Amino acid sequence: MSNPILEARGLTKRFDATLALDALDLAIGPGEVYALLGPNGAGKTTTINLFLGFLAPDGGAALVDGLDVQAEALETKRRLAYLPEQVALYPSLTGAENLGYFAALAGIALKDAERADFLDRAGLQREAHDRRAGTYSKGMRQKVGVALALAKGAKALLLDEPTSGLDPSASVEFSGLVRRLADDGAAVLMATHDLFRVKDTASRVGVLVDGQLREEIAGEALQSTDLEALYLGHVREAEAPVTA
């Protein structure tokens, strides 16, 4: 692997007595889509929030393009794009206006033609560019988020349950878009429960349970692995009662 864009080094986070993330080591290079699988409470969103700098680690470090998130908060954010499960847009603004506004907050002034180009590349239908975002579906809001990532020239994308609530057609379309962004050189970390889309999209898969990375699968092994059985096996093992 070339130098990683996203890297966790012994990344640890506690919430009171709960160990949410236990010395996570992870490295994601340009062009990779890394799918982080795990049940609710496994530490997936905590991992993303540590990369975003929304949380401070209790041990280890999160790095973006070689920069420590805690030491270089603003610079690392410039290199990231984040798509939460529900992309928040101003409902009274159009898609193009939302893109222009959020780009301006990132210090990027977009001309009308540039806004249209980024929205086109993100797959938003041209007739929707000038519609109010309050009329958008979840998939359309996500495309505005992707357009912002394109406008920022983000080196890394953090996706939290991006296909949750999408219909099958929109899910397939979004997965293809993520794959194209990676092909253009972005490093993608995707927290997801969507086992069906993972094999089509991911370069590597990690199974996170109780804050620990239990297993990684990559390449040809990923295509031949029964992910559902593997995932459920780790979850059941973690849930099994401890006997003396």
Side-chain angles (χ1 to χ4, degrees):
M1 181 194 298
S2 57
N3 292 335
I5 301 297
L6 292 170
E7 186 176 8
R9 296 179 182 173
L11 196 56
T12 301
K13 183 62 186 177
R14 291 182 178 274
F15 296 103
D16 297 324
T18 301
L19 183 59
L21 202 62
D22 186 4
L24 175 67
D25 288 318
L26 186 65
I28 307 169
E32 279 198 292
V33 178
Y34 191 104
L36 198 58
L37 302 178
N40 292 334
K44 304 187 303 299
T45 298
T46 296
T47 300
I48 288 176
N49 284 336
L50 286 163
F51 275 115
L52 289 167
F54 293 166
L55 297 172
D58 294 306
L63 291 89
V64 176
D65 203 18
L67 302 175
D68 187 298
V69 169
Q70 292 300 302
E72 301 280 357
L74 288 177
E75 188 57 39
T76 53
K77 283 182 174 65
R78 290 190 182 101
R79 304 179 190 209
L80 288 174
Y82 170 50
L83 267 71
E85 185 174 352
Q86 296 291 337
V87 175
L89 301 177
Y90 287 98
S92 61
L93 299 181
T94 68
E97 288 169 342
N98 270 283
L99 174 58
Y101 174 74
F102 287 112
L105 290 181
I108 303 165
L110 296 178
K111 297 178 181 178
D112 290 350
E114 291 173 319
R115 293 189 303 182
D117 178 60
F118 287 127
L119 291 169
D120 285 341
R121 288 169 59 190
L124 187 68
Q125 306 93 319
R126 180 58 71 98
E127 59 84 19
H129 290 195
D130 295 317
R131 276 173 44 198
R132 291 188 178 183
T135 68
Y136 281 10
S137 66
K138 174 179 177 177
M140 294 168 73
R141 292 195 302 273
Q142 284 182 324
K143 289 173 182 177
V144 177
V146 171
L148 179 59
L150 292 168
K152 290 179 67 176
K155 289 191 171 186
L157 280 78
L158 303 174
L159 313 177
D160 197 354
E161 300 292 350
T163 58
S164 173
L166 293 181
D167 63 49
S169 176
S171 180
V172 169
E173 183 183 9
F174 183 80
S175 296
L177 179 58
V178 169
R179 188 65 260 172
R180 289 195 299 275
L181 291 169
D183 289 343
D184 287 340
V188 181
L189 174 61
M190 176 173 63
T192 183
H193 289 108
D194 191 347
L195 299 176
F196 295 103
R197 297 267 61 86
V198 162
K199 283 192 176 183
D200 295 336
T201 312
S203 313
R204 281 191 292 154
V205 168
V207 181
L208 191 67
V209 181
D210 290 340
Q212 296 180 337
L213 191 62
R214 299 296 178 88
E215 188 165 351
E216 282 190 326
I217 313 99
E220 293 181 2
L222 177 58
Q223 296 306 314
S224 61
T225 298
D226 184 339
L227 283 179
E228 184 176 21
L230 178 75
Y231 170 76
L232 291 175
H234 282 295
V235 172
R236 287 167 181 157
E237 180 182 348
E239 292 175 345
V242 177
T243 57

